[in-house]
Amino acid sequence: MKLPFNDQVQLLADYVGAGSSPPANMDGDVIPITAPILMPGTVVEMGNIASTFRLILPPDFEMNDAPKPLDGRLEVVEIPEHVCAVQAVINKNNVEEQRRQLIETLKKDGHATEGSWQMLHYRSPWFNPMFNADEISIGLRKYVHCRENRNTLWCTEY
C-alpha cells in the first residue's frame, strides 16, 4: 500500500523517534536519522506523491539487530552495496531531463548504468526549505575512477 508523501514521512519519523514518544519500534530506541531519504524514480511534490521511501539506518545496525517497526506498513530491508553516480538537482521542474543528461554523460564517459534511478532527498524539518537539497542517483554496473599523480594516470575499476 502506497501512502501520500506526508504520511510516509510521519511513519519514518515515528519509527526513528523523531515524530513520536516513545519511538514506534519494538526496542523503543531512538535511532539517529541519516540522510538522505531515498525515493525510487520519483520527483517529490509535497503532499501529493505516492511512492516507496527508504531511510538508511546508521552503519552500527546489522539486519538482525535493527529495531522492528511497530507499524506493519514499515519493513526493514537490506540494500545491497552498490556504486552510484550522483548529481545535484539544479531545477526541480525538469528532473527527468537532468536524469537523461546524466545518463548520456555517463555513457559518453564509458560508464554502464544499472537498475533504476532514485531521488535522494535532504529535507530536514529544522532548516529553511530553501536550503534543502535533492540529488539524482543512478546505479553503475562498472565504475572506473581515475586520478593523476606525478604525471601518471591511475585508474581503478569497481
Side-chain angles (χ1 to χ4, degrees), residues 113-157:
T113 60
E114 178 174 76
S116 60
W117 67 288
Q118 48 190 351
M119 289 289 292
L120 310 179
H121 297 285
Y122 303 86
R123 296 190 186 280
S124 171
W126 299 282
F127 293 104
N128 185 326
M130 75 182 243
F131 297 116
N132 288 331
D134 293 333
E135 294 174 330
I136 299 168
S137 171
I138 299 174
L140 299 177
R141 184 173 318 127
K142 179 179 93 174
Y143 174 70
V144 179
H145 173 73
C146 296
R147 61 183 171 82
E148 189 173 341
N149 186 4
R150 299 183 188 189
N151 299 321
T152 303
L153 188 63
W154 299 88
C155 293
T156 306
E157 187 171 318

mmCIF file of all heavy atoms in Angstrom, residues 113-157:
data_model
loop_
_atom_site.group_PDB
_atom_site.id
_atom_site.type_symbol
_atom_site.label_atom_id
_atom_site.label_comp_id
_atom_site.label_asym_id
_atom_site.label_seq_id
_atom_site.Cartn_x
_atom_site.Cartn_y
_atom_site.Cartn_z
ATOM 1 N N THR A 113 25.232 2.076 -16.896
ATOM 2 C CA THR A 113 24.274 2.245 -15.807
ATOM 3 C C THR A 113 23.571 0.922 -15.553
ATOM 4 O O THR A 113 23.500 0.057 -16.418
ATOM 5 C CB THR A 113 23.245 3.347 -16.120
ATOM 6 O OG1 THR A 113 22.530 3.001 -17.293
ATOM 7 C CG2 THR A 113 23.940 4.684 -16.316
ATOM 8 N N GLU A 114 23.036 0.798 -14.338
ATOM 9 C CA GLU A 114 22.383 -0.454 -13.948
ATOM 10 C C GLU A 114 21.230 -0.136 -13.011
ATOM 11 O O GLU A 114 21.361 0.662 -12.105
ATOM 12 C CB GLU A 114 23.401 -1.352 -13.246
ATOM 13 C CG GLU A 114 22.847 -2.654 -12.754
ATOM 14 C CD GLU A 114 23.943 -3.540 -12.195
ATOM 15 O OE1 GLU A 114 24.395 -3.268 -11.065
ATOM 16 O OE2 GLU A 114 24.350 -4.456 -12.899
ATOM 17 N N GLY A 115 20.113 -0.801 -13.218
ATOM 18 C CA GLY A 115 18.979 -0.622 -12.325
ATOM 19 C C GLY A 115 18.263 0.687 -12.576
ATOM 20 O O GLY A 115 18.520 1.397 -13.529
ATOM 21 N N SER A 116 17.354 0.990 -11.681
ATOM 22 C CA SER A 116 16.569 2.208 -11.823
ATOM 23 C C SER A 116 17.258 3.358 -11.096
ATOM 24 O O SER A 116 18.201 3.166 -10.347
ATOM 25 C CB SER A 116 15.159 1.986 -11.270
ATOM 26 O OG SER A 116 15.238 1.630 -9.915
ATOM 27 N N TRP A 117 16.759 4.528 -11.310
ATOM 28 C CA TRP A 117 17.309 5.707 -10.665
ATOM 29 C C TRP A 117 16.471 6.032 -9.441
ATOM 30 O O TRP A 117 15.376 5.529 -9.263
ATOM 31 C CB TRP A 117 17.338 6.872 -11.636
ATOM 32 C CG TRP A 117 16.002 7.379 -12.043
ATOM 33 C CD1 TRP A 117 15.109 6.760 -12.881
ATOM 34 C CD2 TRP A 117 15.386 8.597 -11.642
ATOM 35 N NE1 TRP A 117 13.984 7.523 -13.027
ATOM 36 C CE2 TRP A 117 14.125 8.661 -12.278
ATOM 37 C CE3 TRP A 117 15.770 9.649 -10.820
ATOM 38 C CZ2 TRP A 117 13.268 9.738 -12.109
ATOM 39 C CZ3 TRP A 117 14.906 10.712 -10.659
ATOM 40 C CH2 TRP A 117 13.680 10.755 -11.289
ATOM 41 N N GLN A 118 17.010 6.866 -8.580
ATOM 42 C CA GLN A 118 16.236 7.311 -7.426
ATOM 43 C C GLN A 118 16.613 8.737 -7.059
ATOM 44 O O GLN A 118 17.680 9.223 -7.420
ATOM 45 C CB GLN A 118 16.409 6.382 -6.234
ATOM 46 C CG GLN A 118 17.795 6.017 -5.885
ATOM 47 C CD GLN A 118 17.835 4.898 -4.840
ATOM 48 O OE1 GLN A 118 16.840 4.502 -4.264
ATOM 49 N NE2 GLN A 118 18.999 4.392 -4.592
ATOM 50 N N MET A 119 15.685 9.373 -6.384
ATOM 51 C CA MET A 119 15.932 10.706 -5.858
ATOM 52 C C MET A 119 16.424 10.563 -4.434
ATOM 53 O O MET A 119 15.926 9.734 -3.677
ATOM 54 C CB MET A 119 14.637 11.530 -5.850
ATOM 55 C CG MET A 119 14.147 11.936 -7.215
ATOM 56 S SD MET A 119 15.176 13.191 -7.982
ATOM 57 C CE MET A 119 14.866 14.599 -6.925
ATOM 58 N N LEU A 120 17.402 11.362 -4.086
ATOM 59 C CA LEU A 120 17.908 11.426 -2.714
ATOM 60 C C LEU A 120 17.431 12.761 -2.160
ATOM 61 O O LEU A 120 17.777 13.814 -2.687
ATOM 62 C CB LEU A 120 19.431 11.354 -2.695
ATOM 63 C CG LEU A 120 20.069 10.222 -3.507
ATOM 64 C CD1 LEU A 120 21.586 10.290 -3.401
ATOM 65 C CD2 LEU A 120 19.554 8.881 -3.049
ATOM 66 N N HIS A 121 16.614 12.703 -1.123
ATOM 67 C CA HIS A 121 16.006 13.922 -0.576
ATOM 68 C C HIS A 121 16.619 14.273 0.768
ATOM 69 O O HIS A 121 16.670 13.441 1.665
ATOM 70 C CB HIS A 121 14.491 13.732 -0.400
ATOM 71 C CG HIS A 121 13.785 13.492 -1.679
ATOM 72 N ND1 HIS A 121 13.528 14.484 -2.585
ATOM 73 C CD2 HIS A 121 13.293 12.353 -2.224
ATOM 74 C CE1 HIS A 121 12.906 13.970 -3.628
ATOM 75 N NE2 HIS A 121 12.761 12.684 -3.427
ATOM 76 N N TYR A 122 17.057 15.491 0.866
ATOM 77 C CA TYR A 122 17.577 16.026 2.123
ATOM 78 C C TYR A 122 16.592 17.094 2.563
ATOM 79 O O TYR A 122 16.693 18.243 2.176
ATOM 80 C CB TYR A 122 18.967 16.635 1.912
ATOM 81 C CG TYR A 122 19.963 15.660 1.340
ATOM 82 C CD1 TYR A 122 20.067 15.454 -0.031
ATOM 83 C CD2 TYR A 122 20.795 14.932 2.177
ATOM 84 C CE1 TYR A 122 20.986 14.552 -0.543
ATOM 85 C CE2 TYR A 122 21.719 14.032 1.669
ATOM 86 C CZ TYR A 122 21.800 13.856 0.311
ATOM 87 O OH TYR A 122 22.708 12.957 -0.200
ATOM 88 N N ARG A 123 15.600 16.703 3.334
ATOM 89 C CA ARG A 123 14.538 17.628 3.736
ATOM 90 C C ARG A 123 14.405 17.641 5.249
ATOM 91 O O ARG A 123 13.550 16.984 5.801
ATOM 92 C CB ARG A 123 13.209 17.223 3.097
ATOM 93 C CG ARG A 123 13.222 17.306 1.602
ATOM 94 C CD ARG A 123 11.823 17.123 1.057
ATOM 95 N NE ARG A 123 11.824 17.058 -0.384
ATOM 96 C CZ ARG A 123 11.889 18.107 -1.181
ATOM 97 N NH1 ARG A 123 11.939 19.308 -0.680
ATOM 98 N NH2 ARG A 123 11.884 17.939 -2.484
ATOM 99 N N SER A 124 15.260 18.371 5.867
ATOM 100 C CA SER A 124 15.205 18.458 7.313
ATOM 101 C C SER A 124 14.093 19.412 7.741
ATOM 102 O O SER A 124 13.987 20.523 7.230
ATOM 103 C CB SER A 124 16.540 18.971 7.849
ATOM 104 O OG SER A 124 16.414 19.248 9.219
ATOM 105 N N PRO A 125 13.275 18.990 8.700
ATOM 106 C CA PRO A 125 12.210 19.882 9.165
ATOM 107 C C PRO A 125 12.734 21.042 9.992
ATOM 108 O O PRO A 125 11.999 21.971 10.278
ATOM 109 C CB PRO A 125 11.331 18.954 10.009
ATOM 110 C CG PRO A 125 12.225 17.850 10.433
ATOM 111 C CD PRO A 125 13.248 17.687 9.338
ATOM 112 N N TRP A 126 14.014 21.013 10.369
ATOM 113 C CA TRP A 126 14.566 22.050 11.236
ATOM 114 C C TRP A 126 15.271 23.158 10.473
ATOM 115 O O TRP A 126 15.751 24.102 11.053
ATOM 116 C CB TRP A 126 15.542 21.430 12.237
ATOM 117 C CG TRP A 126 14.854 20.435 13.110
ATOM 118 C CD1 TRP A 126 14.040 20.701 14.183
ATOM 119 C CD2 TRP A 126 14.856 19.024 12.973
ATOM 120 N NE1 TRP A 126 13.546 19.541 14.712
ATOM 121 C CE2 TRP A 126 14.040 18.486 13.987
ATOM 122 C CE3 TRP A 126 15.466 18.132 12.092
ATOM 123 C CZ2 TRP A 126 13.824 17.128 14.146
ATOM 124 C CZ3 TRP A 126 15.255 16.788 12.244
ATOM 125 C CH2 TRP A 126 14.447 16.300 13.266
ATOM 126 N N PHE A 127 15.355 23.036 9.153
ATOM 127 C CA PHE A 127 16.052 24.036 8.358
ATOM 128 C C PHE A 127 15.106 24.700 7.382
ATOM 129 O O PHE A 127 14.074 24.150 7.004
ATOM 130 C CB PHE A 127 17.222 23.401 7.585
ATOM 131 C CG PHE A 127 18.327 22.921 8.473
ATOM 132 C CD1 PHE A 127 18.478 21.575 8.724
ATOM 133 C CD2 PHE A 127 19.193 23.800 9.080
ATOM 134 C CE1 PHE A 127 19.479 21.111 9.553
ATOM 135 C CE2 PHE A 127 20.201 23.361 9.914
ATOM 136 C CZ PHE A 127 20.345 22.013 10.140
ATOM 137 N N ASN A 128 15.489 25.871 6.939
ATOM 138 C CA ASN A 128 14.737 26.616 5.949
ATOM 139 C C ASN A 128 14.624 25.775 4.673
ATOM 140 O O ASN A 128 15.627 25.272 4.180
ATOM 141 C CB ASN A 128 15.481 27.921 5.659
ATOM 142 C CG ASN A 128 14.732 28.819 4.728
ATOM 143 O OD1 ASN A 128 14.039 28.367 3.814
ATOM 144 N ND2 ASN A 128 14.880 30.110 4.933
ATOM 145 N N PRO A 129 13.418 25.607 4.115
ATOM 146 C CA PRO A 129 13.237 24.776 2.923
ATOM 147 C C PRO A 129 14.124 25.185 1.738
ATOM 148 O O PRO A 129 14.464 24.359 0.912
ATOM 149 C CB PRO A 129 11.762 24.948 2.573
ATOM 150 C CG PRO A 129 11.116 25.354 3.839
ATOM 151 C CD PRO A 129 12.151 26.124 4.616
ATOM 152 N N MET A 130 14.500 26.457 1.649
ATOM 153 C CA MET A 130 15.327 26.859 0.512
ATOM 154 C C MET A 130 16.727 26.239 0.579
ATOM 155 O O MET A 130 17.440 26.194 -0.406
ATOM 156 C CB MET A 130 15.400 28.376 0.375
ATOM 157 C CG MET A 130 16.271 29.086 1.357
ATOM 158 S SD MET A 130 16.186 30.858 1.073
ATOM 159 C CE MET A 130 17.859 31.195 0.622
ATOM 160 N N PHE A 131 17.123 25.716 1.754
ATOM 161 C CA PHE A 131 18.427 25.072 1.886
ATOM 162 C C PHE A 131 18.347 23.554 1.750
ATOM 163 O O PHE A 131 19.362 22.878 1.804
ATOM 164 C CB PHE A 131 19.074 25.443 3.219
ATOM 165 C CG PHE A 131 19.365 26.915 3.336
ATOM 166 C CD1 PHE A 131 18.730 27.688 4.286
ATOM 167 C CD2 PHE A 131 20.260 27.525 2.473
ATOM 168 C CE1 PHE A 131 18.986 29.035 4.386
ATOM 169 C CE2 PHE A 131 20.518 28.889 2.562
ATOM 170 C CZ PHE A 131 19.878 29.646 3.524
ATOM 171 N N ASN A 132 17.144 23.013 1.607
ATOM 172 C CA ASN A 132 17.005 21.576 1.385
ATOM 173 C C ASN A 132 17.470 21.247 -0.024
ATOM 174 O O ASN A 132 17.297 22.045 -0.942
ATOM 175 C CB ASN A 132 15.555 21.135 1.567
ATOM 176 C CG ASN A 132 15.141 21.147 3.016
ATOM 177 O OD1 ASN A 132 15.961 20.960 3.906
ATOM 178 N ND2 ASN A 132 13.870 21.366 3.270
ATOM 179 N N ALA A 133 18.072 20.089 -0.193
ATOM 180 C CA ALA A 133 18.642 19.718 -1.484
ATOM 181 C C ALA A 133 18.131 18.356 -1.922
ATOM 182 O O ALA A 133 17.745 17.534 -1.100
ATOM 183 C CB ALA A 133 20.161 19.693 -1.382
ATOM 184 N N ASP A 134 18.149 18.138 -3.212
ATOM 185 C CA ASP A 134 17.816 16.843 -3.788
ATOM 186 C C ASP A 134 18.939 16.452 -4.736
ATOM 187 O O ASP A 134 19.627 17.313 -5.294
ATOM 188 C CB ASP A 134 16.502 16.910 -4.582
ATOM 189 C CG ASP A 134 15.295 17.150 -3.705
ATOM 190 O OD1 ASP A 134 15.334 16.769 -2.526
ATOM 191 O OD2 ASP A 134 14.315 17.737 -4.193
ATOM 192 N N GLU A 135 19.111 15.150 -4.909
ATOM 193 C CA GLU A 135 20.103 14.640 -5.844
ATOM 194 C C GLU A 135 19.488 13.491 -6.641
ATOM 195 O O GLU A 135 18.584 12.812 -6.161
ATOM 196 C CB GLU A 135 21.349 14.122 -5.119
ATOM 197 C CG GLU A 135 22.115 15.212 -4.410
ATOM 198 C CD GLU A 135 23.274 14.682 -3.579
ATOM 199 O OE1 GLU A 135 23.190 13.534 -3.087
ATOM 200 O OE2 GLU A 135 24.250 15.427 -3.427
ATOM 201 N N ILE A 136 20.009 13.289 -7.836
ATOM 202 C CA ILE A 136 19.645 12.144 -8.662
ATOM 203 C C ILE A 136 20.738 11.109 -8.469
ATOM 204 O O ILE A 136 21.921 11.417 -8.524
ATOM 205 C CB ILE A 136 19.569 12.543 -10.151
ATOM 206 C CG1 ILE A 136 18.511 13.617 -10.366
ATOM 207 C CG2 ILE A 136 19.311 11.313 -11.024
ATOM 208 C CD1 ILE A 136 18.572 14.262 -11.739
ATOM 209 N N SER A 137 20.346 9.856 -8.240
ATOM 210 C CA SER A 137 21.295 8.760 -8.067
ATOM 211 C C SER A 137 20.986 7.683 -9.099
ATOM 212 O O SER A 137 19.846 7.246 -9.219
ATOM 213 C CB SER A 137 21.177 8.185 -6.658
ATOM 214 O OG SER A 137 21.935 7.008 -6.538
ATOM 215 N N ILE A 138 22.027 7.263 -9.829
ATOM 216 C CA ILE A 138 21.878 6.230 -10.850
ATOM 217 C C ILE A 138 22.923 5.155 -10.586
ATOM 218 O O ILE A 138 24.112 5.455 -10.462
ATOM 219 C CB ILE A 138 22.057 6.816 -12.266
ATOM 220 C CG1 ILE A 138 20.982 7.871 -12.524
ATOM 221 C CG2 ILE A 138 22.028 5.709 -13.321
ATOM 222 C CD1 ILE A 138 21.136 8.615 -13.821
ATOM 223 N N GLY A 139 22.478 3.901 -10.483
ATOM 224 C CA GLY A 139 23.392 2.788 -10.247
ATOM 225 C C GLY A 139 24.314 2.559 -11.430
ATOM 226 O O GLY A 139 23.928 2.736 -12.582
ATOM 227 N N LEU A 140 25.554 2.179 -11.136
ATOM 228 C CA LEU A 140 26.544 1.899 -12.172
ATOM 229 C C LEU A 140 26.924 0.427 -12.153
ATOM 230 O O LEU A 140 27.152 -0.144 -11.092
ATOM 231 C CB LEU A 140 27.802 2.749 -11.964
ATOM 232 C CG LEU A 140 27.612 4.257 -12.012
ATOM 233 C CD1 LEU A 140 28.928 4.960 -11.729
ATOM 234 C CD2 LEU A 140 27.067 4.693 -13.358
ATOM 235 N N ARG A 141 27.008 -0.173 -13.316
ATOM 236 C CA ARG A 141 27.433 -1.561 -13.427
ATOM 237 C C ARG A 141 28.949 -1.633 -13.336
ATOM 238 O O ARG A 141 29.520 -2.486 -12.695
ATOM 239 C CB ARG A 141 26.972 -2.152 -14.750
ATOM 240 C CG ARG A 141 27.284 -3.624 -14.891
ATOM 241 C CD ARG A 141 26.676 -4.253 -16.122
ATOM 242 N NE ARG A 141 25.309 -3.812 -16.360
ATOM 243 C CZ ARG A 141 24.886 -3.294 -17.521
ATOM 244 N NH1 ARG A 141 25.700 -3.164 -18.528
ATOM 245 N NH2 ARG A 141 23.638 -2.924 -17.669
ATOM 246 N N LYS A 142 29.609 -0.726 -14.000
ATOM 247 C CA LYS A 142 31.061 -0.689 -13.998
ATOM 248 C C LYS A 142 31.468 0.750 -13.701
ATOM 249 O O LYS A 142 30.913 1.681 -14.280
ATOM 250 C CB LYS A 142 31.596 -1.117 -15.366
ATOM 251 C CG LYS A 142 33.099 -1.096 -15.466
ATOM 252 C CD LYS A 142 33.545 -1.555 -16.838
ATOM 253 C CE LYS A 142 33.700 -0.344 -17.717
ATOM 254 N NZ LYS A 142 34.252 -0.626 -19.026
ATOM 255 N N TYR A 143 32.413 0.917 -12.825
ATOM 256 C CA TYR A 143 32.839 2.256 -12.457
ATOM 257 C C TYR A 143 34.353 2.311 -12.509
ATOM 258 O O TYR A 143 35.029 1.473 -11.919
ATOM 259 C CB TYR A 143 32.342 2.608 -11.052
ATOM 260 C CG TYR A 143 32.855 3.923 -10.530
ATOM 261 C CD1 TYR A 143 32.411 5.121 -11.073
ATOM 262 C CD2 TYR A 143 33.791 3.966 -9.517
ATOM 263 C CE1 TYR A 143 32.880 6.324 -10.603
ATOM 264 C CE2 TYR A 143 34.255 5.174 -9.035
ATOM 265 C CZ TYR A 143 33.800 6.350 -9.587
ATOM 266 O OH TYR A 143 34.272 7.540 -9.120
ATOM 267 N N VAL A 144 34.889 3.262 -13.233
ATOM 268 C CA VAL A 144 36.334 3.439 -13.313
ATOM 269 C C VAL A 144 36.662 4.795 -12.721
ATOM 270 O O VAL A 144 36.154 5.817 -13.175
ATOM 271 C CB VAL A 144 36.833 3.341 -14.773
ATOM 272 C CG1 VAL A 144 38.333 3.555 -14.825
ATOM 273 C CG2 VAL A 144 36.448 2.006 -15.389
ATOM 274 N N HIS A 145 37.495 4.782 -11.694
ATOM 275 C CA HIS A 145 37.923 6.026 -11.052
ATOM 276 C C HIS A 145 39.375 6.284 -11.440
ATOM 277 O O HIS A 145 40.231 5.430 -11.248
ATOM 278 C CB HIS A 145 37.806 5.903 -9.529
ATOM 279 C CG HIS A 145 38.375 7.086 -8.805
ATOM 280 N ND1 HIS A 145 37.739 8.303 -8.792
ATOM 281 C CD2 HIS A 145 39.510 7.238 -8.094
ATOM 282 C CE1 HIS A 145 38.477 9.160 -8.089
ATOM 283 N NE2 HIS A 145 39.543 8.536 -7.662
ATOM 284 N N CYS A 146 39.627 7.436 -12.008
ATOM 285 C CA CYS A 146 40.989 7.774 -12.425
ATOM 286 C C CYS A 146 41.457 9.036 -11.706
ATOM 287 O O CYS A 146 40.672 9.952 -11.461
ATOM 288 C CB CYS A 146 41.048 8.003 -13.933
ATOM 289 S SG CYS A 146 40.654 6.542 -14.901
ATOM 290 N N ARG A 147 42.719 9.043 -11.371
ATOM 291 C CA ARG A 147 43.318 10.239 -10.770
ATOM 292 C C ARG A 147 44.744 10.370 -11.290
ATOM 293 O O ARG A 147 45.394 9.386 -11.630
ATOM 294 C CB ARG A 147 43.305 10.159 -9.250
ATOM 295 C CG ARG A 147 44.074 9.001 -8.684
ATOM 296 C CD ARG A 147 43.953 8.926 -7.162
ATOM 297 N NE ARG A 147 44.515 7.708 -6.665
ATOM 298 C CZ ARG A 147 45.814 7.507 -6.447
ATOM 299 N NH1 ARG A 147 46.673 8.468 -6.671
ATOM 300 N NH2 ARG A 147 46.250 6.346 -6.003
ATOM 301 N N GLU A 148 45.197 11.584 -11.360
ATOM 302 C CA GLU A 148 46.553 11.817 -11.848
ATOM 303 C C GLU A 148 47.460 12.106 -10.662
ATOM 304 O O GLU A 148 47.101 12.848 -9.752
ATOM 305 C CB GLU A 148 46.569 12.992 -12.822
ATOM 306 C CG GLU A 148 47.886 13.159 -13.521
ATOM 307 C CD GLU A 148 47.839 14.224 -14.601
ATOM 308 O OE1 GLU A 148 46.748 14.572 -15.059
ATOM 309 O OE2 GLU A 148 48.928 14.707 -14.953
ATOM 310 N N ASN A 149 48.625 11.489 -10.664
ATOM 311 C CA ASN A 149 49.599 11.686 -9.602
ATOM 312 C C ASN A 149 50.990 11.670 -10.224
ATOM 313 O O ASN A 149 51.405 10.661 -10.781
ATOM 314 C CB ASN A 149 49.461 10.590 -8.544
ATOM 315 C CG ASN A 149 50.355 10.827 -7.345
ATOM 316 O OD1 ASN A 149 51.029 11.848 -7.263
ATOM 317 N ND2 ASN A 149 50.355 9.892 -6.427
ATOM 318 N N ARG A 150 51.680 12.798 -10.156
ATOM 319 C CA ARG A 150 53.042 12.921 -10.695
ATOM 320 C C ARG A 150 53.111 12.484 -12.161
ATOM 321 O O ARG A 150 53.911 11.641 -12.533
ATOM 322 C CB ARG A 150 54.035 12.129 -9.857
ATOM 323 C CG ARG A 150 54.093 12.630 -8.438
ATOM 324 C CD ARG A 150 55.114 11.887 -7.654
ATOM 325 N NE ARG A 150 54.976 12.291 -6.257
ATOM 326 C CZ ARG A 150 55.828 11.950 -5.335
ATOM 327 N NH1 ARG A 150 56.868 11.223 -5.614
ATOM 328 N NH2 ARG A 150 55.638 12.348 -4.096
ATOM 329 N N ASN A 151 52.244 13.052 -12.968
ATOM 330 C CA ASN A 151 52.200 12.801 -14.404
ATOM 331 C C ASN A 151 51.852 11.352 -14.770
ATOM 332 O O ASN A 151 52.116 10.912 -15.877
ATOM 333 C CB ASN A 151 53.506 13.219 -15.078
ATOM 334 C CG ASN A 151 53.771 14.680 -14.900
ATOM 335 O OD1 ASN A 151 52.848 15.499 -14.951
ATOM 336 N ND2 ASN A 151 55.030 15.041 -14.681
ATOM 337 N N THR A 152 51.281 10.610 -13.846
ATOM 338 C CA THR A 152 50.825 9.247 -14.121
ATOM 339 C C THR A 152 49.338 9.180 -13.846
ATOM 340 O O THR A 152 48.865 9.682 -12.833
ATOM 341 C CB THR A 152 51.568 8.217 -13.216
ATOM 342 O OG1 THR A 152 52.961 8.366 -13.424
ATOM 343 C CG2 THR A 152 51.134 6.811 -13.545
ATOM 344 N N LEU A 153 48.605 8.557 -14.754
ATOM 345 C CA LEU A 153 47.169 8.400 -14.583
ATOM 346 C C LEU A 153 46.904 7.046 -13.973
ATOM 347 O O LEU A 153 47.253 6.009 -14.543
ATOM 348 C CB LEU A 153 46.456 8.520 -15.941
ATOM 349 C CG LEU A 153 44.937 8.558 -15.901
ATOM 350 C CD1 LEU A 153 44.444 9.789 -15.137
ATOM 351 C CD2 LEU A 153 44.377 8.555 -17.309
ATOM 352 N N TRP A 154 46.318 7.051 -12.770
ATOM 353 C CA TRP A 154 45.994 5.805 -12.062
ATOM 354 C C TRP A 154 44.507 5.563 -12.172
ATOM 355 O O TRP A 154 43.700 6.429 -11.826
ATOM 356 C CB TRP A 154 46.373 5.928 -10.583
ATOM 357 C CG TRP A 154 47.825 6.171 -10.349
ATOM 358 C CD1 TRP A 154 48.452 7.375 -10.306
ATOM 359 C CD2 TRP A 154 48.809 5.181 -10.172
ATOM 360 N NE1 TRP A 154 49.783 7.195 -10.080
ATOM 361 C CE2 TRP A 154 50.058 5.855 -9.990
ATOM 362 C CE3 TRP A 154 48.812 3.788 -10.139
ATOM 363 C CZ2 TRP A 154 51.237 5.185 -9.779
ATOM 364 C CZ3 TRP A 154 50.011 3.126 -9.908
ATOM 365 C CH2 TRP A 154 51.201 3.819 -9.745
ATOM 366 N N CYS A 155 44.108 4.384 -12.627
ATOM 367 C CA CYS A 155 42.688 4.055 -12.759
ATOM 368 C C CYS A 155 42.381 2.787 -12.004
ATOM 369 O O CYS A 155 43.145 1.823 -12.038
ATOM 370 C CB CYS A 155 42.305 3.873 -14.226
ATOM 371 S SG CYS A 155 42.414 5.407 -15.175
ATOM 372 N N THR A 156 41.250 2.805 -11.301
ATOM 373 C CA THR A 156 40.770 1.639 -10.568
ATOM 374 C C THR A 156 39.372 1.327 -11.047
ATOM 375 O O THR A 156 38.526 2.226 -11.123
ATOM 376 C CB THR A 156 40.753 1.922 -9.050
ATOM 377 O OG1 THR A 156 42.043 2.367 -8.655
ATOM 378 C CG2 THR A 156 40.368 0.673 -8.278
ATOM 379 N N GLU A 157 39.099 0.069 -11.373
ATOM 380 C CA GLU A 157 37.766 -0.343 -11.796
ATOM 381 C C GLU A 157 37.039 -1.002 -10.635
ATOM 382 O O GLU A 157 37.595 -1.839 -9.944
ATOM 383 C CB GLU A 157 37.864 -1.336 -12.958
ATOM 384 C CG GLU A 157 36.498 -1.654 -13.533
ATOM 385 C CD GLU A 157 36.600 -2.457 -14.813
ATOM 386 O OE1 GLU A 157 37.454 -2.146 -15.641
ATOM 387 O OE2 GLU A 157 35.795 -3.378 -14.949
#
